[in-house]
Amino acid sequence: MFQAIDSPYLVPFDSSFRLTNAPADPGDADPGKKTCRKRRKAAIERLSELQDILYAHDHQPILLVFQAMDAAGKDGTIKAVMSGVNPTGCQVSSFKQPSAEELDHDFLWRTTRRLPERGRIGIFNRSYYEEVLVVRVHPEYLGGQNLPDEVPPGELWQQRFESINAHEEHLARNGTVILKFWLNVSREEQRLRFLSRLDEPEKNWKFSAGDVRERGHWDAYMQAYEEALRATSRPWAPWYAIPADDKPFMRMTVAELVVASLDRLDLQYPKVDETERARFDEMRALLESGEA
Ligand code: ATP
Ligand code: MG
């Protein structure tokens, strides 16, 4: 099974994670805008090569999960990290408020249908983690979920963590490499980004009054994130809490973590055996002679 690569942003597997240890600002770790861009570009070039091998090898799906508060930069990070990657080998799925059909199933159903195929990179822009984040902050949403009566409300979240851990372990055992990124934006930086959505005409479309209302639940969200990350970071499905107040740093860090994780798999192009090689020689002779 895949094993997480180490990083200062890796969420420990022993439930010791605290938000107070997760910086939103990179501080001294930031090598500066220019270096971040350069390193991100280098990582993306390598990712493109790795994806080619991954696709040819065709055994392992890669699942990248992105969770964040609004305006943390999920879309921009996904775009930046996946630019230059062959679109055939990559699938992005965004999960918003569930539809009536989705609510008619268990909470892992809708994302399971979108899991990447072997050899592909699947990106979840939000995911089943919303079920222990937004739904935890707004327990009234549970009313629409037609859950069985016997789950005592006090145990629901713990049960969901267990379901998620079991689900991810199952996927990992079957070859999926799972990396989960929480883009950790500060409340103040979110405020400034919302303001720029109001001030800059080309960003107006991104503004949503609902997002400002959700901001009012900031502390409840942070508590939910802390518990969710603490309960579900595992060596085969690690969480990384990425400082998100500085976009170039965030994008570089995510790109480098993805590349380092794929590099660790040490994937190779499929090897051609002796019999096949002999057939190649036959085919070459036919093609060269013009008989084929
Ligand atoms: P963007 O704003 O960049 O387009 P987004 O992911 O914020 O992207 P929105 O349509 O603004 O998309 O918001 C989607 C909303 O759906 C979020 O507030 C999210 O919390 C909510 N959501 C996602 N999954 C669930 C769920 N399972 N139950 C309830 N709400 C959910
Ligand atoms: Mg939104």
Side-chain angles (χ1 to χ4, degrees), residues 70 74-75 95-98 110 126 130-131 134-135:
D70 286 300
K74 279 186 283 107
D75 288 5
F95 298 100
K96 311 206 179 224
Q97 285 92 349
R110 70 168 173 164
R126 303 188 186 274
E130 291 290 323
E131 292 289 339
V134 65
V135 181

Side-chain angles (χ1 to χ4, degrees), residues 70 126 197 206 208 211:
D70 286 300
R126 303 188 186 274
R197 289 179 175 187
K206 288 191 191 174
S208 142
D211 291 354

Side-chain angles (χ1 to χ4, degrees), residues 38 92 96 102 125 140 158 187 206 208:
K38 250 179 54 204
V92 183
K96 311 206 179 224
E102 288 166 348
N125 182 347
E140 65 274 16
Q158 191 48 41
R187 190 160 195 246
K206 288 191 191 174
S208 142

Side-chain angles (χ1 to χ4, degrees), residues 19 69 132-134 136-138 214-227:
L19 274 190
M69 296 297 282
V132 290
L133 296 166
V134 65
R136 194 162 188 187
V137 173
H138 295 282
E214 279 314 281
R215 198 177 142 71
H217 300 285
W218 187 272
D219 291 345
Y221 270 108
M222 290 305 114
Q223 171 105 33
Y225 268 108
E226 185 177 72
E227 286 192 35

Side-chain angles (χ1 to χ4, degrees), residues 134-206:
V134 65
V135 181
R136 194 162 188 187
V137 173
H138 295 282
E140 65 274 16
Y141 292 173
L142 289 169
Q145 297 195 349
N146 291 343
L147 298 176
D149 297 331
E150 69 261 25
V151 183
E155 286 171 30
L156 181 70
W157 311 114
Q158 191 48 41
Q159 287 194 2
R160 286 192 170 185
F161 292 147
E162 286 168 18
S163 297
I164 288 172
N165 283 334
H167 177 61
E168 291 179 346
E169 189 168 6
H170 162 75
L171 294 176
R173 280 183 178 145
N174 283 276
T176 307
V177 173
I178 307 170
L179 303 178
K180 302 175 294 194
F181 298 100
W182 175 47
L183 307 183
N184 177 16
V185 73
S186 68
R187 190 160 195 246
E188 174 59 7
E189 179 64 21
Q190 189 200 50
R191 189 180 72 88
L192 298 175
R193 290 186 190 170
F194 282 168
L195 278 174
S196 75
R197 289 179 175 187
L198 290 172
D199 293 342
E200 297 172 38
E202 66 279 13
K203 288 189 183 168
N204 283 171
W205 65 275
K206 288 191 191 174

Side-chain angles (χ1 to χ4, degrees), residues 104-122:
D104 247 350
H105 293 269
D106 74 275
F107 79 93
L108 292 172
W109 182 77
R110 70 168 173 164
T111 46
T112 302
R113 301 167 81 215
R114 299 271 176 258
L115 287 170
E117 296 150 351
R118 298 191 195 281
R120 313 274 171 120
I121 302 177

